[in-house]
Amino acid sequence: MREDMGLIVKTTARAIIPLIGIFGAYIVVHGHLTPGGGFQGGATIAGAGILFLVAFGLDEMKKHYNKSLYSVLEGVGGLAFLGAAMLGMGVAFFYNTLWHNGPFFNGEPGTLLSAGFLPIMNLAVGLKVFTGLVSALTAIALYRRWKS
Amino acid sequence: MNGEAILPYLIIIPLFGAFSMPIVNLLGRKAREAWAVLISGATLAVGSAIFYYIWDTKKILVYTLGARSPLGQGVGFPIRIVWEVDLFGAIMVLMVTLVSFLAVLYSLGYMKHDTGLDKYYTLIIILELGMLGIAITGDLFNFYVFLEIMSIASYALVAFRNDTWEGIEAGIKYMFVGSIASAFVLLGIALLYGQYGTLTMSYLALKLAQSPSVTAKVALALFIAGLLFKSGASPVHMWLADAHPAAPSSISAMLSGLVIKIGGIYALTRILFSIYGASVSVKTVGWVVIIFACITLIVGNAMAVIQNDMKRLLAYSSVGQIGYILLGLGIGLAAYGSQTGEIAMAGAIYHTFNHALMKALLFLIAGVVIHQLGTRDLNELSGLAKAMPKTTFAFLIGAAAIIGMPPLNGFASKWLIYESSAIFNPILGAIAIIGTAFCTAAYVKVLYTFFGRPSEKVMKAKDPEGTMLWPIIILVVAIIVMGLFPWQISDRVMIPAVKALENQLAYVSAVLGGA
């Protein structure tokens, strides 16, 4: 049985996957300004990965998917979130010291470089959600076979 | 030493350990194991420091996330997540960090032949993190999040050996039941938030006392229902009897010693005493808990007697012991403010801690037996005392402690519960004694098997290696040493913990700053 889909689907997927990725990245980066954020953007980008898996099949996915890279990236996402939360440990856990004292991410509210550690946390959560969902779906797709 | 400064590290260290585990895993098996031991050891150090600080100063530790004060600017109510640890919470923190550390240490030898251990150690640290979060939080939604962290980690760990049919079966059962229970709790929180507009436990307690409503009572019913599920009380204990035998033994020790107490008993106690203490009829709620406690006592202990599977016997015995703890809690509520209630509650807290030690010990021993002999059928384990003398001795200590033999720690805690229940209502005392009779029968049965004539299968067995033996030795020593000073511990730790728990005003004003 062929694992990949037909020519039309594959060509359309080639065109759409970058668009989904960019849109997801937009949602993550603008998490503190517009609806959405780390989880929603990360899940959107993971949608691009799943489209790749479905359209091009498992064999193609195996060539591009590296299990330890994805689990390390998921860990890095978590560590970045924790690190951002610990920046203001002098006052309290989760104290937004970047917003109160700078040196960056303390611009005018409504601009991209504002809101203190929130953009960092959104990126971290987005990375974690994307790698986690893609890993989970790939692991399920790889699950041995239909019979035992 | 400053308690406020180190409290967040109780969460930060396990989080850091769990997130960095995939990276450390690249360095190989040894690095991963050393990392898991290091992280849980550091958590144990922080946990004991916090316990000592709170016990020493008798303060209620309040920590605000995100700012120095929990109160919003220009308003008199808390707007931030607070962590609030009184002595009861600190006892739970000590218990969780201690047993988790021993379980991690034990896993080094016990889980050696399994695969996917990077995920195992991540999950076990996440499980510890969830339980610590429940013990320290002072925010209702934060509590729910930590409850789910704990629950989901334990679903995954119960089904960890996914090549065995029973692991999957127990995992699915536990997951379905546990998710419904969590949904009850979430629904209760949603109702309270809709009615009162706050999620901070102490401020909610104030609001509840000012304007009681039917919604609050519905929410309370949902909390009690959901948390009794989590604690494995009868008649909703069926998941526990499957989940505990199917999980790896280090996990059974944590599930039975910690998860059902933190996610069930501690959370229930905190909600009933610190949130609802002043706004509902504690007598009615107390009797509701007592009824469930009596059913749990009899059913759990009686079912333990007829088991042939060693771990299933221990699991039913856990249900029975949860019955004692619930009985203490129920009497503590029904006789709120009197000395009987205080003694009952002290017995419940003391028994929670003791049972964590003894049941962790017994499950670790069951794991040793399975590891060495490959079976947990009691019919095949005859004469284990000859082949594995140290293990059998440790089991003897654990069984004697759980029955409540005088020189061991189980005696004092059970005595407090018997005494208070007999004073409160002699029928309850009689039920408690009947439960213990069943419990004794179950453990004597196991010991009788162990001291019998050695069977073919048992002859080749040996005592386990060091990493599996040391946690057992530490627990035996802890049980014996705690058994030598029962009334000192009761008077200096447990009674003050109950006093702190019953003093709802102090719990509320610690957050609202006396303002």
Side-chain angles (χ1 to χ4, degrees), chain A residues 67-68 71-72 74-76 78-79 81-82 86 89-96 128 144, chain B residues 5 8-9 11-12 15-16 19-20 22-23 26 63-68 83 118-119 162:
Chain A
K67 179 174 165 289
S68 30
S71 35
V72 166
E74 199 184 344
V76 168
L79 287 176
F81 188 92
L82 187 63
M86 284 184 71
M89 256 341 251
V91 178
F93 194 32
F94 278 98
Y95 176 71
N96 197 342
K128 197 164 168 58
R144 286 164 289 178
Chain B
Y9 290 96
I11 296 299
I12 290 171
L15 260 185
F16 179 67
F19 285 152
S20 52
I23 301 163
L26 297 177
Y63 189 89
T64 311
L65 275 78
R68 285 213 168 83
W83 288 340
D118 53 327
K119 289 162 200 82
N162 57 12

Coordinates of all heavy atoms in Angstrom, one line a residue, chain A residues 67-68 71-72 74-76 78-79 81-82 86 89-96 128 144, chain B residues 5 8-9 11-12 15-16 19-20 22-23 26 63-68 83 118-119 162:
Chain A
K67 N 14.2 11.9 16.3 CA 13.5 11.8 17.6 C 14.2 12.5 18.7 O 13.6 13.3 19.4 CB 13.4 10.3 18.0 CG 12.7 10.1 19.3 CD 12.5 8.6 19.6 CE 12.2 8.3 21.0 NZ 13.3 8.4 21.9
S68 N 15.6 12.3 18.8 CA 16.3 13.0 19.9 C 16.3 14.5 19.7 O 16.2 15.2 20.7 CB 17.7 12.4 20.1 OG 18.2 12.0 19.0
S71 N 12.9 15.7 21.0 CA 12.7 15.7 22.4 C 13.7 16.7 23.1 O 13.3 17.3 24.1 CB 12.8 14.4 23.1 OG 13.8 13.6 22.5
V72 N 14.9 16.9 22.5 CA 15.8 18.0 23.1 C 15.1 19.3 22.9 O 15.1 20.2 23.9 CB 17.2 17.9 22.5 CG1 17.9 19.2 22.8 CG2 17.9 16.7 23.0
E74 N 12.0 20.1 22.7 CA 10.9 20.2 23.7 C 11.4 20.6 25.0 O 10.9 21.4 25.7 CB 10.1 18.9 23.7 CG 8.7 19.1 24.3 CD 7.9 17.8 24.4 OE1 8.4 16.8 23.8 OE2 6.9 17.8 25.1
G75 N 12.5 19.9 25.4 CA 13.1 20.3 26.7 C 13.6 21.7 26.7 O 13.4 22.4 27.7
V76 N 14.2 22.1 25.6 CA 14.7 23.5 25.6 C 13.6 24.5 25.7 O 13.7 25.5 26.4 CB 15.5 23.7 24.2 CG1 15.8 25.2 24.0 CG2 16.8 22.9 24.2
G78 N 10.8 24.1 27.4 CA 10.5 24.1 28.8 C 11.5 24.9 29.6 O 11.1 25.7 30.4
L79 N 12.7 24.7 29.3 CA 13.8 25.3 30.1 C 13.8 26.8 29.8 O 14.0 27.6 30.7 CB 15.2 24.8 29.7 CG 15.5 23.4 30.2 CD1 16.8 22.9 29.7 CD2 15.5 23.4 31.7
F81 N 11.2 28.6 29.1 CA 10.0 29.2 29.9 C 10.4 29.3 31.3 O 10.2 30.4 31.9 CB 8.9 28.2 29.7 CG 7.6 28.7 30.3 CD1 6.7 29.4 29.5 CD2 7.3 28.5 31.7 CE1 5.5 29.9 30.1 CE2 6.1 29.0 32.2 CZ 5.2 29.7 31.4
L82 N 11.0 28.3 31.9 CA 11.4 28.3 33.3 C 12.5 29.4 33.5 O 12.4 30.2 34.5 CB 12.0 27.0 33.7 CG 12.3 26.7 35.2 CD1 11.1 26.8 36.0 CD2 13.0 25.4 35.3
M86 N 12.3 32.7 35.9 CA 13.3 32.9 37.0 C 14.1 34.2 36.9 O 14.8 34.5 37.8 CB 14.2 31.8 37.1 CG 13.6 30.5 37.6 SD 14.8 29.2 37.8 CE 15.8 29.9 39.2
M89 N 13.9 36.5 39.9 CA 13.9 35.8 41.2 C 14.2 36.7 42.4 O 13.8 36.4 43.5 CB 14.9 34.7 41.1 CG 14.5 33.3 41.0 SD 12.8 32.9 41.3 CE 13.0 32.0 42.8
G90 N 14.9 37.8 42.1 CA 15.2 38.8 43.2 C 14.0 39.3 43.9 O 14.0 39.6 45.1
V91 N 12.9 39.5 43.1 CA 11.7 39.9 43.7 C 10.7 38.7 44.0 O 10.3 38.5 45.1 CB 10.9 40.9 42.8 CG1 9.6 41.4 43.4 CG2 11.8 42.1 42.5
A92 N 10.4 38.0 42.9 CA 9.5 36.8 43.1 C 9.7 36.0 41.9 O 10.1 36.4 40.8 CB 8.1 37.2 43.3
F93 N 9.3 34.7 42.0 CA 9.2 33.8 40.9 C 8.1 34.4 39.9 O 7.1 34.9 40.4 CB 8.7 32.4 41.4 CG 8.8 31.3 40.4 CD1 9.9 31.3 39.5 CD2 8.0 30.2 40.5 CE1 10.0 30.2 38.6 CE2 8.1 29.1 39.6 CZ 9.1 29.1 38.7
F94 N 8.4 34.4 38.6 CA 7.5 35.0 37.6 C 7.4 36.5 37.7 O 6.5 37.1 37.0 CB 6.1 34.4 37.7 CG 6.0 33.1 37.0 CD1 6.0 31.9 37.7 CD2 5.8 33.0 35.6 CE1 5.9 30.7 37.0 CE2 5.7 31.8 35.0 CZ 5.7 30.6 35.7
Y95 N 8.3 37.2 38.4 CA 8.3 38.6 38.4 C 8.8 39.1 37.1 O 9.9 38.7 36.6 CB 9.2 39.2 39.5 CG 9.3 40.7 39.5 CD1 8.2 41.5 39.9 CD2 10.5 41.3 39.2 CE1 8.3 42.8 39.9 CE2 10.6 42.7 39.2 CZ 9.5 43.4 39.6 OH 9.6 44.8 39.6
N96 N 8.0 40.0 36.4 CA 8.3 40.4 35.0 C 9.4 41.5 35.0 O 9.1 42.6 34.7 CB 7.1 40.8 34.3 CG 7.2 40.8 32.8 OD1 8.3 40.8 32.3 ND2 6.1 40.9 32.1
K128 N 7.7 24.2 22.3 CA 7.3 23.0 23.1 C 6.1 22.3 22.5 O 6.1 21.1 22.3 CB 7.1 23.3 24.5 CG 7.2 22.1 25.5 CD 7.3 22.6 26.9 CE 7.1 21.4 27.8 NZ 7.9 20.3 27.6
R144 N 3.8 0.1 15.4 CA 4.1 -1.1 14.6 C 3.3 -1.4 13.4 O 3.6 -1.1 12.3 CB 4.2 -2.3 15.6 CG 5.4 -2.2 16.5 CD 5.3 -3.1 17.7 NE 4.3 -2.6 18.6 CZ 4.0 -3.3 19.8 NH1 4.6 -4.4 20.0 NH2 3.2 -2.8 20.6
Chain B
A5 N 12.3 32.5 50.7 CA 13.3 32.5 49.6 C 13.5 31.1 49.0 O 13.8 31.0 47.8 CB 14.6 33.0 50.1
P8 N 10.0 28.6 46.4 CA 9.8 28.4 44.9 C 10.7 27.3 44.4 O 10.4 26.6 43.4 CB 10.1 29.7 44.3 CG 10.7 30.5 45.3 CD 10.3 30.1 46.6
Y9 N 11.9 27.0 45.0 CA 12.8 26.0 44.5 C 12.2 24.6 44.6 O 12.6 23.7 44.0 CB 14.1 26.1 45.2 CG 14.8 27.3 44.7 CD1 14.8 28.5 45.5 CD2 15.5 27.4 43.5 CE1 15.4 29.6 45.0 CE2 16.1 28.5 43.1 CZ 16.0 29.6 43.8 OH 16.6 30.8 43.4
I11 N 9.4 23.9 43.5 CA 8.8 23.7 42.1 C 9.9 23.8 41.1 O 9.9 23.0 40.1 CB 7.7 24.7 41.9 CG1 6.5 24.5 42.9 CG2 7.1 24.6 40.5 CD1 5.9 23.2 42.8
I12 N 10.8 24.7 41.2 CA 11.8 25.0 40.2 C 12.7 23.8 40.0 O 12.9 23.4 38.8 CB 12.6 26.3 40.5 CG1 11.7 27.5 40.4 CG2 13.8 26.4 39.6 CD1 12.4 28.7 41.0
L15 N 11.0 20.9 38.1 CA 10.7 21.4 36.7 C 11.9 21.4 35.9 O 12.0 20.9 34.8 CB 10.1 22.8 36.7 CG 8.6 23.0 36.6 CD1 8.3 24.4 36.5 CD2 8.0 22.3 35.4
F16 N 13.0 21.9 36.5 CA 14.3 22.0 35.8 C 14.7 20.6 35.5 O 15.2 20.3 34.3 CB 15.3 22.7 36.6 CG 16.7 22.8 36.0 CD1 16.9 23.6 34.9 CD2 17.7 22.2 36.6 CE1 18.1 23.6 34.3 CE2 19.0 22.2 36.0 CZ 19.2 23.0 34.9
F19 N 12.5 19.0 32.6 CA 12.7 19.7 31.3 C 14.1 19.3 30.7 O 14.3 19.2 29.5 CB 12.6 21.2 31.4 CG 11.1 21.6 31.5 CD1 10.8 22.8 32.1 CD2 10.1 20.9 30.9 CE1 9.5 23.2 32.2 CE2 8.8 21.3 31.0 CZ 8.5 22.4 31.7
S20 N 15.1 19.2 31.6 CA 16.4 19.0 31.1 C 16.7 17.5 30.9 O 17.8 17.1 30.4 CB 17.5 19.6 32.0 OG 17.2 19.2 33.3
P22 N 15.5 15.2 28.7 CA 15.8 14.8 27.4 C 17.2 15.2 26.9 O 17.9 14.5 26.1 CB 14.8 15.5 26.5 CG 13.8 16.0 27.4 CD 14.3 16.1 28.8
I23 N 17.7 16.3 27.5 CA 19.1 16.7 27.1 C 20.1 15.9 27.8 O 21.1 15.4 27.2 CB 19.3 18.2 27.4 CG1 18.2 19.0 26.6 CG2 20.7 18.7 27.1 CD1 18.0 20.4 27.1
L26 N 21.0 12.4 26.5 CA 21.9 12.2 25.3 C 23.3 11.7 25.8 O 24.0 11.1 25.1 CB 22.1 13.5 24.6 CG 20.9 14.1 23.9 CD1 21.2 15.4 23.2 CD2 20.3 13.1 22.9
Y63 N 3.7 32.8 49.7 CA 4.6 33.2 48.6 C 3.7 33.7 47.5 O 2.8 33.0 47.1 CB 5.5 32.1 48.2 CG 6.5 32.5 47.2 CD1 7.8 32.9 47.7 CD2 6.3 32.5 45.8 CE1 8.8 33.3 46.8 CE2 7.3 32.9 45.0 CZ 8.5 33.3 45.4 OH 9.5 33.7 44.6
T64 N 4.0 34.9 47.0 CA 3.2 35.4 45.9 C 4.0 35.3 44.6 O 5.2 35.6 44.5 CB 2.9 36.9 46.1 OG1 2.4 37.0 47.4 CG2 1.9 37.4 45.1
L65 N 3.4 34.8 43.5 CA 4.0 34.7 42.2 C 3.9 36.0 41.5 O 2.8 36.5 41.4 CB 3.5 33.6 41.4 CG 4.1 32.2 41.7 CD1 3.5 31.6 43.0 CD2 3.9 31.3 40.6
G66 N 5.0 36.6 41.0 CA 4.9 37.7 40.2 C 5.1 39.1 40.9 O 5.3 40.1 40.2
A67 N 5.0 39.1 42.2 CA 5.2 40.4 42.8 C 5.4 40.1 44.3 O 5.4 39.0 44.8 CB 3.9 41.3 42.7
R68 N 5.6 41.2 45.1 CA 5.9 41.0 46.5 C 4.6 40.8 47.3 O 4.6 40.0 48.3 CB 6.6 42.2 47.1 CG 8.1 42.3 46.6 CD 9.0 42.9 47.7 NE 10.4 42.6 47.4 CZ 11.1 43.4 46.6 NH1 10.5 44.4 46.0 NH2 12.3 43.1 46.4
W83 N 1.1 30.9 47.0 CA 1.3 29.6 47.6 C 1.3 29.8 49.1 O 1.8 30.7 49.6 CB 2.7 29.1 47.2 CG 2.8 28.7 45.7 CD1 1.7 28.3 44.9 CD2 3.9 28.5 44.9 NE1 2.2 28.0 43.7 CE2 3.5 28.1 43.6 CE3 5.3 28.7 45.1 CZ2 4.4 27.9 42.6 CZ3 6.2 28.5 44.1 CH2 5.7 28.1 42.8
D118 N 14.2 7.2 29.9 CA 14.3 8.7 29.9 C 12.9 9.2 30.2 O 12.7 10.1 31.0 CB 14.8 9.3 28.6 CG 14.1 8.8 27.4 OD1 13.6 7.6 27.4 OD2 14.0 9.5 26.4
K119 N 11.9 8.6 29.6 CA 10.5 9.1 29.9 C 10.1 8.7 31.3 O 9.4 9.5 32.0 CB 9.5 8.4 28.9 CG 9.7 9.0 27.5 CD 9.1 8.1 26.4 CE 9.7 8.4 25.1 NZ 11.0 7.8 24.9
N162 N 3.8 -1.1 28.7 CA 2.7 -1.2 27.8 C 2.8 -2.5 27.0 O 2.0 -2.7 26.1 CB 2.6 0.0 27.0 CG 3.9 0.3 26.2 OD1 4.7 -0.6 26.1 ND2 4.0 1.4 25.6

